[in-house]
Amino acid sequence: MVERAGSGAVAAETSVVPGVGKRRRGWVIAGVAVVLGGVLGFHRLVPNWPGRVGSLVESFLPWGGALVVVLLVIALVRRSAVALVALLLPVGVWVDTFGGLLLPGEEGGGRELVVVQHNVSDENRDPAGTARALADSAADLVALEELVDPQLAAYEKALAADYPHHVVRGTVGLWSKHPLSGEQVVDIKPRSIEEGWSRGVRAVVRSPYGDVAAYVAHLPSVRVGVGGLASQRRDESAALLGRAIAGESVEPVILLGDLNGVVEDRGLKPLTSQLAFAESGFAFSFPAAFPLARIDQVMARSATVGHIRTLAATGSDHLPVVARVALE
């Protein structure tokens, strides 16, 4: 009798109280939700070392919404009230930060230019087809990067009828329906890159609404490896471009380019601190097969960048982006 009673007591002591495990798991989900909300709202506080982890996090901030959805599903399955309440924090922060990008944007007014930005890829096997697709957008300005021989001749030929004015410097170029003047190279070459590297051009567009300074740039690539995000050259080039635009005397200013970074990335602060960017549309442009981020940008000063969107895939590993720029 004593032995049986002892066994029963041990069994009672070692039994799991119903619901305790679920409640603990609910608190774990709640903790993750709070951390996610903190990262979304205060990503600038994430240190950029080692490996520029801050820039890496900022490159994929919009995808924090996908993590919120995953946590929401888990919380519903667990039936955790505390987790559901905690999820209100990242939901609110994400909506405040990115919710406007889901809106269609305002209708365009009379004083505006339609612009297209596209890294056409130096391995594009159908440059003529790519050029025709871009011309079909009926844009006023078309900015292209990774222009190399012999593909350059194909772009010039295919775009000539719709865009009688163009300038190419190095591997970047601008095609325009309106006359161009003041064409010049913009030196954005980092010190560690050899001579002959030229990825910046500036021209004044004689638009129907007045002169517009247009810049086309292709910042150095970044790589993600075991050491983190290698963006030193990109950041240095962005600083050089920022200085050039800061000294621009013609207003408005439009910047089009493959900046190899998203607008949230602190490495592009020399540009985003003085230029406006689209507040409507995600327009993820890279990689074309499964777009994860918009690194092809349209920015402006003394002008408003309207809804930005992608066009159909071409022979490039980037998708073209198109936006309406309303001049002030």
PDB file of all heavy atoms in Angstrom, residues 83-114:
ATOM      1  N   ALA A  83       0.588  36.237 -27.438  1.00  0.00           N
ATOM      2  CA  ALA A  83       1.336  36.371 -28.693  1.00  0.00           C
ATOM      3  C   ALA A  83       0.577  37.257 -29.672  1.00  0.00           C
ATOM      4  O   ALA A  83       1.173  38.086 -30.371  1.00  0.00           O
ATOM      5  CB  ALA A  83       1.597  34.998 -29.298  1.00  0.00           C
ATOM      6  N   LEU A  84      -0.724  37.100 -29.750  1.00  0.00           N
ATOM      7  CA  LEU A  84      -1.527  37.902 -30.670  1.00  0.00           C
ATOM      8  C   LEU A  84      -1.473  39.377 -30.296  1.00  0.00           C
ATOM      9  O   LEU A  84      -1.394  40.250 -31.164  1.00  0.00           O
ATOM     10  CB  LEU A  84      -2.971  37.407 -30.679  1.00  0.00           C
ATOM     11  CG  LEU A  84      -3.198  36.035 -31.330  1.00  0.00           C
ATOM     12  CD1 LEU A  84      -4.633  35.572 -31.098  1.00  0.00           C
ATOM     13  CD2 LEU A  84      -2.895  36.095 -32.822  1.00  0.00           C
ATOM     14  N   VAL A  85      -1.510  39.660 -28.996  1.00  0.00           N
ATOM     15  CA  VAL A  85      -1.418  41.050 -28.553  1.00  0.00           C
ATOM     16  C   VAL A  85      -0.034  41.624 -28.880  1.00  0.00           C
ATOM     17  O   VAL A  85       0.090  42.753 -29.370  1.00  0.00           O
ATOM     18  CB  VAL A  85      -1.690  41.149 -27.039  1.00  0.00           C
ATOM     19  CG1 VAL A  85      -1.386  42.568 -26.538  1.00  0.00           C
ATOM     20  CG2 VAL A  85      -3.132  40.791 -26.744  1.00  0.00           C
ATOM     21  N   ALA A  86       1.018  40.831 -28.643  1.00  0.00           N
ATOM     22  CA  ALA A  86       2.379  41.296 -28.917  1.00  0.00           C
ATOM     23  C   ALA A  86       2.586  41.568 -30.402  1.00  0.00           C
ATOM     24  O   ALA A  86       3.351  42.452 -30.784  1.00  0.00           O
ATOM     25  CB  ALA A  86       3.387  40.266 -28.412  1.00  0.00           C
ATOM     26  N   LEU A  87       1.912  40.821 -31.256  1.00  0.00           N
ATOM     27  CA  LEU A  87       2.063  40.992 -32.700  1.00  0.00           C
ATOM     28  C   LEU A  87       1.515  42.325 -33.195  1.00  0.00           C
ATOM     29  O   LEU A  87       1.839  42.751 -34.312  1.00  0.00           O
ATOM     30  CB  LEU A  87       1.380  39.844 -33.441  1.00  0.00           C
ATOM     31  CG  LEU A  87       2.197  38.551 -33.551  1.00  0.00           C
ATOM     32  CD1 LEU A  87       1.331  37.399 -34.020  1.00  0.00           C
ATOM     33  CD2 LEU A  87       3.363  38.757 -34.501  1.00  0.00           C
ATOM     34  N   LEU A  88       0.710  42.988 -32.388  1.00  0.00           N
ATOM     35  CA  LEU A  88       0.213  44.305 -32.775  1.00  0.00           C
ATOM     36  C   LEU A  88       1.358  45.293 -32.959  1.00  0.00           C
ATOM     37  O   LEU A  88       1.265  46.219 -33.778  1.00  0.00           O
ATOM     38  CB  LEU A  88      -0.767  44.835 -31.716  1.00  0.00           C
ATOM     39  CG  LEU A  88      -2.092  44.071 -31.583  1.00  0.00           C
ATOM     40  CD1 LEU A  88      -2.907  44.643 -30.428  1.00  0.00           C
ATOM     41  CD2 LEU A  88      -2.887  44.142 -32.888  1.00  0.00           C
ATOM     42  N   LEU A  89       2.458  45.086 -32.215  1.00  0.00           N
ATOM     43  CA  LEU A  89       3.594  46.003 -32.327  1.00  0.00           C
ATOM     44  C   LEU A  89       4.253  45.929 -33.705  1.00  0.00           C
ATOM     45  O   LEU A  89       4.324  46.960 -34.399  1.00  0.00           O
ATOM     46  CB  LEU A  89       4.615  45.701 -31.226  1.00  0.00           C
ATOM     47  CG  LEU A  89       5.931  46.498 -31.315  1.00  0.00           C
ATOM     48  CD1 LEU A  89       5.657  47.988 -31.196  1.00  0.00           C
ATOM     49  CD2 LEU A  89       6.913  46.025 -30.244  1.00  0.00           C
ATOM     50  N   PRO A  90       4.746  44.754 -34.160  1.00  0.00           N
ATOM     51  CA  PRO A  90       5.366  44.734 -35.499  1.00  0.00           C
ATOM     52  C   PRO A  90       4.385  45.032 -36.625  1.00  0.00           C
ATOM     53  O   PRO A  90       4.780  45.619 -37.645  1.00  0.00           O
ATOM     54  CB  PRO A  90       5.930  43.306 -35.609  1.00  0.00           C
ATOM     55  CG  PRO A  90       5.142  42.502 -34.642  1.00  0.00           C
ATOM     56  CD  PRO A  90       4.837  43.437 -33.510  1.00  0.00           C
ATOM     57  N   VAL A  91       3.113  44.657 -36.441  1.00  0.00           N
ATOM     58  CA  VAL A  91       2.122  44.980 -37.469  1.00  0.00           C
ATOM     59  C   VAL A  91       1.987  46.490 -37.616  1.00  0.00           C
ATOM     60  O   VAL A  91       1.997  47.034 -38.722  1.00  0.00           O
ATOM     61  CB  VAL A  91       0.760  44.344 -37.139  1.00  0.00           C
ATOM     62  CG1 VAL A  91      -0.330  44.920 -38.032  1.00  0.00           C
ATOM     63  CG2 VAL A  91       0.813  42.835 -37.311  1.00  0.00           C
ATOM     64  N   GLY A  92       1.877  47.169 -36.486  1.00  0.00           N
ATOM     65  CA  GLY A  92       1.731  48.624 -36.519  1.00  0.00           C
ATOM     66  C   GLY A  92       2.942  49.312 -37.110  1.00  0.00           C
ATOM     67  O   GLY A  92       2.814  50.244 -37.919  1.00  0.00           O
ATOM     68  N   VAL A  93       4.137  48.846 -36.725  1.00  0.00           N
ATOM     69  CA  VAL A  93       5.360  49.464 -37.240  1.00  0.00           C
ATOM     70  C   VAL A  93       5.488  49.227 -38.742  1.00  0.00           C
ATOM     71  O   VAL A  93       5.847  50.132 -39.494  1.00  0.00           O
ATOM     72  CB  VAL A  93       6.596  48.912 -36.495  1.00  0.00           C
ATOM     73  CG1 VAL A  93       7.871  49.474 -37.114  1.00  0.00           C
ATOM     74  CG2 VAL A  93       6.530  49.277 -35.023  1.00  0.00           C
ATOM     75  N   TRP A  94       5.198  48.000 -39.185  1.00  0.00           N
ATOM     76  CA  TRP A  94       5.318  47.690 -40.609  1.00  0.00           C
ATOM     77  C   TRP A  94       4.328  48.525 -41.430  1.00  0.00           C
ATOM     78  O   TRP A  94       4.696  49.068 -42.479  1.00  0.00           O
ATOM     79  CB  TRP A  94       5.069  46.204 -40.853  1.00  0.00           C
ATOM     80  CG  TRP A  94       5.426  45.775 -42.245  1.00  0.00           C
ATOM     81  CD1 TRP A  94       6.608  45.255 -42.674  1.00  0.00           C
ATOM     82  CD2 TRP A  94       4.582  45.841 -43.413  1.00  0.00           C
ATOM     83  NE1 TRP A  94       6.577  45.004 -44.029  1.00  0.00           N
ATOM     84  CE2 TRP A  94       5.347  45.362 -44.513  1.00  0.00           C
ATOM     85  CE3 TRP A  94       3.282  46.263 -43.643  1.00  0.00           C
ATOM     86  CZ2 TRP A  94       4.818  45.287 -45.808  1.00  0.00           C
ATOM     87  CZ3 TRP A  94       2.766  46.210 -44.934  1.00  0.00           C
ATOM     88  CH2 TRP A  94       3.527  45.717 -45.995  1.00  0.00           C
ATOM     89  N   VAL A  95       3.093  48.626 -40.967  1.00  0.00           N
ATOM     90  CA  VAL A  95       2.087  49.408 -41.690  1.00  0.00           C
ATOM     91  C   VAL A  95       2.491  50.871 -41.747  1.00  0.00           C
ATOM     92  O   VAL A  95       2.356  51.534 -42.787  1.00  0.00           O
ATOM     93  CB  VAL A  95       0.699  49.245 -41.035  1.00  0.00           C
ATOM     94  CG1 VAL A  95      -0.293  50.237 -41.623  1.00  0.00           C
ATOM     95  CG2 VAL A  95       0.187  47.826 -41.219  1.00  0.00           C
ATOM     96  N   ASP A  96       3.030  51.398 -40.642  1.00  0.00           N
ATOM     97  CA  ASP A  96       3.448  52.794 -40.609  1.00  0.00           C
ATOM     98  C   ASP A  96       4.609  53.042 -41.562  1.00  0.00           C
ATOM     99  O   ASP A  96       4.689  54.099 -42.203  1.00  0.00           O
ATOM    100  CB  ASP A  96       3.847  53.180 -39.183  1.00  0.00           C
ATOM    101  CG  ASP A  96       4.301  54.628 -39.092  1.00  0.00           C
ATOM    102  OD1 ASP A  96       3.471  55.525 -39.306  1.00  0.00           O
ATOM    103  OD2 ASP A  96       5.489  54.858 -38.820  1.00  0.00           O
ATOM    104  N   THR A  97       5.516  52.061 -41.677  1.00  0.00           N
ATOM    105  CA  THR A  97       6.712  52.230 -42.496  1.00  0.00           C
ATOM    106  C   THR A  97       6.470  51.919 -43.962  1.00  0.00           C
ATOM    107  O   THR A  97       6.919  52.659 -44.848  1.00  0.00           O
ATOM    108  CB  THR A  97       7.846  51.322 -41.978  1.00  0.00           C
ATOM    109  OG1 THR A  97       8.069  51.590 -40.586  1.00  0.00           O
ATOM    110  CG2 THR A  97       9.137  51.571 -42.740  1.00  0.00           C
ATOM    111  N   PHE A  98       5.749  50.844 -44.235  1.00  0.00           N
ATOM    112  CA  PHE A  98       5.613  50.370 -45.614  1.00  0.00           C
ATOM    113  C   PHE A  98       4.184  50.345 -46.134  1.00  0.00           C
ATOM    114  O   PHE A  98       3.962  50.075 -47.314  1.00  0.00           O
ATOM    115  CB  PHE A  98       6.196  48.958 -45.743  1.00  0.00           C
ATOM    116  CG  PHE A  98       7.650  48.864 -45.387  1.00  0.00           C
ATOM    117  CD1 PHE A  98       8.056  48.255 -44.207  1.00  0.00           C
ATOM    118  CD2 PHE A  98       8.615  49.402 -46.222  1.00  0.00           C
ATOM    119  CE1 PHE A  98       9.398  48.167 -43.872  1.00  0.00           C
ATOM    120  CE2 PHE A  98       9.957  49.325 -45.910  1.00  0.00           C
ATOM    121  CZ  PHE A  98      10.351  48.709 -44.728  1.00  0.00           C
ATOM    122  N   GLY A  99       3.216  50.614 -45.282  1.00  0.00           N
ATOM    123  CA  GLY A  99       1.825  50.530 -45.709  1.00  0.00           C
ATOM    124  C   GLY A  99       1.494  51.445 -46.871  1.00  0.00           C
ATOM    125  O   GLY A  99       0.709  51.096 -47.759  1.00  0.00           O
ATOM    126  N   GLY A 100       2.109  52.630 -46.898  1.00  0.00           N
ATOM    127  CA  GLY A 100       1.837  53.569 -47.980  1.00  0.00           C
ATOM    128  C   GLY A 100       2.247  53.048 -49.343  1.00  0.00           C
ATOM    129  O   GLY A 100       1.682  53.446 -50.372  1.00  0.00           O
ATOM    130  N   LEU A 101       3.222  52.126 -49.364  1.00  0.00           N
ATOM    131  CA  LEU A 101       3.674  51.570 -50.644  1.00  0.00           C
ATOM    132  C   LEU A 101       2.605  50.706 -51.294  1.00  0.00           C
ATOM    133  O   LEU A 101       2.673  50.432 -52.494  1.00  0.00           O
ATOM    134  CB  LEU A 101       4.939  50.737 -50.426  1.00  0.00           C
ATOM    135  CG  LEU A 101       6.169  51.499 -49.923  1.00  0.00           C
ATOM    136  CD1 LEU A 101       7.319  50.546 -49.689  1.00  0.00           C
ATOM    137  CD2 LEU A 101       6.580  52.589 -50.911  1.00  0.00           C
ATOM    138  N   LEU A 102       1.619  50.278 -50.503  1.00  0.00           N
ATOM    139  CA  LEU A 102       0.543  49.451 -51.049  1.00  0.00           C
ATOM    140  C   LEU A 102      -0.533  50.283 -51.741  1.00  0.00           C
ATOM    141  O   LEU A 102      -1.352  49.745 -52.478  1.00  0.00           O
ATOM    142  CB  LEU A 102      -0.106  48.633 -49.924  1.00  0.00           C
ATOM    143  CG  LEU A 102       0.812  47.634 -49.206  1.00  0.00           C
ATOM    144  CD1 LEU A 102       0.088  47.039 -48.003  1.00  0.00           C
ATOM    145  CD2 LEU A 102       1.265  46.537 -50.160  1.00  0.00           C
ATOM    146  N   LEU A 103      -0.530  51.594 -51.504  1.00  0.00           N
ATOM    147  CA  LEU A 103      -1.546  52.464 -52.087  1.00  0.00           C
ATOM    148  C   LEU A 103      -1.238  52.710 -53.568  1.00  0.00           C
ATOM    149  O   LEU A 103      -0.072  52.665 -53.994  1.00  0.00           O
ATOM    150  CB  LEU A 103      -1.599  53.786 -51.324  1.00  0.00           C
ATOM    151  CG  LEU A 103      -1.929  53.674 -49.832  1.00  0.00           C
ATOM    152  CD1 LEU A 103      -1.864  55.036 -49.166  1.00  0.00           C
ATOM    153  CD2 LEU A 103      -3.291  53.025 -49.631  1.00  0.00           C
ATOM    154  N   PRO A 104      -2.248  52.989 -54.367  1.00  0.00           N
ATOM    155  CA  PRO A 104      -2.040  53.157 -55.806  1.00  0.00           C
ATOM    156  C   PRO A 104      -1.302  54.426 -56.192  1.00  0.00           C
ATOM    157  O   PRO A 104      -0.787  54.544 -57.288  1.00  0.00           O
ATOM    158  CB  PRO A 104      -3.471  53.161 -56.363  1.00  0.00           C
ATOM    159  CG  PRO A 104      -4.318  53.639 -55.224  1.00  0.00           C
ATOM    160  CD  PRO A 104      -3.675  53.068 -53.989  1.00  0.00           C
ATOM    161  N   GLY A 105      -1.250  55.397 -55.314  1.00  0.00           N
ATOM    162  CA  GLY A 105      -0.593  56.656 -55.656  1.00  0.00           C
ATOM    163  C   GLY A 105      -1.559  57.631 -56.294  1.00  0.00           C
ATOM    164  O   GLY A 105      -2.617  57.259 -56.801  1.00  0.00           O
ATOM    165  N   GLU A 106      -1.185  58.909 -56.279  1.00  0.00           N
ATOM    166  CA  GLU A 106      -2.053  59.945 -56.818  1.00  0.00           C
ATOM    167  C   GLU A 106      -1.984  59.983 -58.341  1.00  0.00           C
ATOM    168  O   GLU A 106      -0.996  59.569 -58.953  1.00  0.00           O
ATOM    169  CB  GLU A 106      -1.642  61.309 -56.252  1.00  0.00           C
ATOM    170  CG  GLU A 106      -1.776  61.408 -54.732  1.00  0.00           C
ATOM    171  CD  GLU A 106      -1.361  62.765 -54.223  1.00  0.00           C
ATOM    172  OE1 GLU A 106      -0.987  63.622 -55.060  1.00  0.00           O
ATOM    173  OE2 GLU A 106      -1.408  62.977 -53.003  1.00  0.00           O
ATOM    174  N   GLU A 107      -3.057  60.461 -58.937  1.00  0.00           N
ATOM    175  CA  GLU A 107      -3.077  60.623 -60.386  1.00  0.00           C
ATOM    176  C   GLU A 107      -2.072  61.693 -60.805  1.00  0.00           C
ATOM    177  O   GLU A 107      -1.877  62.690 -60.113  1.00  0.00           O
ATOM    178  CB  GLU A 107      -4.484  61.025 -60.851  1.00  0.00           C
ATOM    179  CG  GLU A 107      -5.526  59.928 -60.684  1.00  0.00           C
ATOM    180  CD  GLU A 107      -5.264  58.735 -61.579  1.00  0.00           C
ATOM    181  OE1 GLU A 107      -4.721  58.927 -62.689  1.00  0.00           O
ATOM    182  OE2 GLU A 107      -5.588  57.606 -61.170  1.00  0.00           O
ATOM    183  N   GLY A 108      -1.440  61.466 -61.939  1.00  0.00           N
ATOM    184  CA  GLY A 108      -0.446  62.407 -62.410  1.00  0.00           C
ATOM    185  C   GLY A 108      -1.065  63.726 -62.855  1.00  0.00           C
ATOM    186  O   GLY A 108      -2.190  63.777 -63.328  1.00  0.00           O
ATOM    187  N   GLY A 109      -0.296  64.791 -62.704  1.00  0.00           N
ATOM    188  CA  GLY A 109      -0.765  66.092 -63.129  1.00  0.00           C
ATOM    189  C   GLY A 109      -0.186  66.448 -64.485  1.00  0.00           C
ATOM    190  O   GLY A 109       0.311  65.606 -65.222  1.00  0.00           O
ATOM    191  N   GLY A 110      -0.213  67.719 -64.831  1.00  0.00           N
ATOM    192  CA  GLY A 110       0.250  68.137 -66.138  1.00  0.00           C
ATOM    193  C   GLY A 110       1.757  68.252 -66.252  1.00  0.00           C
ATOM    194  O   GLY A 110       2.346  67.919 -67.265  1.00  0.00           O
ATOM    195  N   ARG A 111       2.425  68.745 -65.181  1.00  0.00           N
ATOM    196  CA  ARG A 111       3.868  68.967 -65.228  1.00  0.00           C
ATOM    197  C   ARG A 111       4.607  67.729 -64.718  1.00  0.00           C
ATOM    198  O   ARG A 111       5.040  67.681 -63.566  1.00  0.00           O
ATOM    199  CB  ARG A 111       4.240  70.185 -64.381  1.00  0.00           C
ATOM    200  CG  ARG A 111       3.787  71.508 -64.968  1.00  0.00           C
ATOM    201  CD  ARG A 111       4.048  72.656 -63.993  1.00  0.00           C
ATOM    202  NE  ARG A 111       5.402  72.625 -63.442  1.00  0.00           N
ATOM    203  CZ  ARG A 111       6.472  73.148 -64.062  1.00  0.00           C
ATOM    204  NH1 ARG A 111       6.344  73.724 -65.250  1.00  0.00           N
ATOM    205  NH2 ARG A 111       7.654  73.102 -63.497  1.00  0.00           N
ATOM    206  N   GLU A 112       4.710  66.738 -65.549  1.00  0.00           N
ATOM    207  CA  GLU A 112       5.387  65.527 -65.111  1.00  0.00           C
ATOM    208  C   GLU A 112       6.124  64.854 -66.264  1.00  0.00           C
ATOM    209  O   GLU A 112       5.808  65.049 -67.441  1.00  0.00           O
ATOM    210  CB  GLU A 112       4.402  64.534 -64.489  1.00  0.00           C
ATOM    211  CG  GLU A 112       3.415  63.940 -65.463  1.00  0.00           C
ATOM    212  CD  GLU A 112       2.532  62.877 -64.822  1.00  0.00           C
ATOM    213  OE1 GLU A 112       2.440  62.851 -63.590  1.00  0.00           O
ATOM    214  OE2 GLU A 112       1.958  62.081 -65.571  1.00  0.00           O
ATOM    215  N   LEU A 113       7.122  64.082 -65.892  1.00  0.00           N
ATOM    216  CA  LEU A 113       7.889  63.283 -66.841  1.00  0.00           C
ATOM    217  C   LEU A 113       7.781  61.819 -66.446  1.00  0.00           C
ATOM    218  O   LEU A 113       7.858  61.476 -65.253  1.00  0.00           O
ATOM    219  CB  LEU A 113       9.361  63.703 -66.841  1.00  0.00           C
ATOM    220  CG  LEU A 113       9.687  65.138 -67.262  1.00  0.00           C
ATOM    221  CD1 LEU A 113      11.180  65.422 -67.083  1.00  0.00           C
ATOM    222  CD2 LEU A 113       9.272  65.386 -68.709  1.00  0.00           C
ATOM    223  N   VAL A 114       7.587  60.954 -67.428  1.00  0.00           N
ATOM    224  CA  VAL A 114       7.606  59.515 -67.184  1.00  0.00           C
ATOM    225  C   VAL A 114       9.033  59.036 -67.432  1.00  0.00           C
ATOM    226  O   VAL A 114       9.638  59.356 -68.464  1.00  0.00           O
ATOM    227  CB  VAL A 114       6.625  58.775 -68.116  1.00  0.00           C
ATOM    228  CG1 VAL A 114       6.689  57.274 -67.874  1.00  0.00           C
ATOM    229  CG2 VAL A 114       5.207  59.288 -67.903  1.00  0.00           C
TER     230      VAL A 114
END
